Amino acid sequence: MSKSSSVLIDRHPGRSSQTIGIARELGTEIDLIHEPSVGVVGNKGDSQCYIGVQRKVEAIHEALLAKIGHGEGQMKLRLVQPEYTVGISDGIRNGTREMRYSLIGREITQDALSEHLSGSGLAGCIAVVACDKPPVGTLSALLEHNEAAIIMSDGPIHPGHDPNNPDEPLDIVSSYQVAGSHDEDYKFHIACHACPGYGSCGGMFTYNTMQTFIGVVGMQPLHMVAPPSDDPRRLNEFPKELVGYLQQMIANGVKPRDIVGRDSLRNAVIVAMAVGGSTNVVLHAPEIARAAGYADFWKEIMTPEEFNHLSQHVVPVLTDARPYGRFSMVDIDKVGGVQVIVKELMDAGLINGDVPTCTGETLAEQIARLGTAAPDSEVVHTCAAPYKPTGGLRLLGGNLSPDYSAILKLAGVEGGLEGNVFKGSARVFEGEAGLLEALDKTPEVFQNHDMVIVRYEGPAGAPGMPEMLDSTSRITTLCREKGIVVGLMTDARFSGGSVGLVIGHVGPEAALGGPIGLIENGDEIVADLNTNELNCPVLDDPAVFNARKAAWQKVVDANGGLHPNCGIADTRLLHRMRQMGVPATRGGGMHPNREVWVRNARTAQASGFEPKNRHH
């Protein structure tokens, strides 16, 4: 009997009456109501990403229903009705103030599922995930609850095609990149053809970066990652497979924290580098590690120095994928799926195949059973002849990033790093809205080798750390049209669809007094990929630094302790983010600091409750 069902074991009539009613409505046997609970959850929201989720959840629910009972091979469990979390659409909300809720959506998903999983006492769960942030919140909740669980991607959308240029695939990034055009008919034409059908963003943006991550970390069968959302297998074959895997996990007592460990997390980060994945992976990996029981990702799993060494000298980019390349996740599925990438890295000795997975096999055994193909050398390349020789991500330190938090997607850089060094002149904006207005109304002000600074958009400052696909896409188009290089650095973050010389997560953030808040227009900014540093040389002068910091503090003190350039926290949720937002190095979410977390855990332990901490 699972400890999570102990609340029902006394057969109290008050607690039994509704479970009897639910059993009748769902078509399960009444004498199972005191058994451990099992059910399906899904992510929903306002975009095409989520349209296919409900039908998969319902198909899995029916597959579970067929396996619940007293017969041979059935599970003697209580079935609960499907539940859903709610998220916003990153694709629709980029460039708006609503985008502040995007990363917060990861936290809300986790909270909602924590209530459902732990509050309802589920001993087994299958989750269907979609869009960018809810999948990470889902995985984190499953890890915290730490009962048998498995994840399935809802699947990516197919690429669109311009009828006037059928050989050129389109996606949501295509639409954002034409946003600066003054041809309204053309913009509407691209918008109409960029996102046909349904499913989550199809390039190697954050969604597919994190679905690949979840598969490699062991919580999703690898062959279920890449197929499109409308693939019939997601309704006709995968549900039964998932139920079988879950049944096996429950029978063998396998829990998420048995699967997600140090080596599997390292594998997943390395694969994210090899697919030229989203910068958001370095926000999400620390949060997933925390939920798995690790206090500090950058100490216990992988140091920043090691991360950079791997990306700089060891791990190549294997995929020719959007946004930096040509192909979509659907194309990767056609040449064998993400397992092709995983096998190639495993055969090269770059990842560990001996880690466990939700299928009951090791990663290597899963790869072998799937009969994984070799790279086709067009969509997926080999380690011997990669698409790009070095990994797609780089962490930067320096006097602008003393947290060692700044992240650059090197795979997406289109120019400006001659000799691996960019030198530019600061052009400062106190928030993204001002930058978008300038790009829209006065694009001529941007000059070659400008470094645009967008600040007060971090976890506490915005609040919510919005991503900036609208800004980066417009800058990319401007640079291509004018043949110039304009960089962008911010204490906010970027979409996985962003390309160009863009540096996010610069910390500490401006709202908390970080050096990015002390930059002035015209200051020289140097991004050196040889030393992995981001510097403003004038701030090395103590007199200049101290004078600017004192001036900044005077403004803050005069405004009651909050810099006036910070966004308005006009809802309880935004206020919580402002008060509880942790730095990017800790995941950028809403958590108490480590000392509070440890103190609470010790208090709970002293009261007789055993917290779900990982033991080394």
Side-chain angles (χ1 to χ4, degrees), residues 430 456 552 555-568:
E430 312 291 359
Y456 297 101
W552 180 90
V555 172
V556 169
D557 293 342
N559 195 53
L562 179 72
H563 199 284
N565 288 334
C566 291
I568 297 172

Side-chain angles (χ1 to χ4, degrees), residues 370-440:
L370 292 172
T372 304
D376 70 309
S377 297
E378 183 181 12
V379 180
V380 178
H381 294 247
T382 65
C383 289
Y387 179 69
K388 290 190 176 186
T390 57
L393 299 168
R394 195 72 61 83
L395 287 170
L396 305 178
N399 70 9
L400 290 177
S401 181
D403 278 0
Y404 217 136
S405 61
I407 182 76
L408 168 70
K409 183 160 76 173
L410 197 56
V413 174
E414 298 184 347
L417 280 176
E418 291 73 20
N420 288 321
V421 177
F422 172 88
K423 292 184 178 181
S425 177
R427 188 177 293 275
V428 179
F429 293 89
E430 312 291 359
E432 188 187 20
L435 171 59
L436 287 172
E437 183 178 15
L439 287 166
D440 190 44

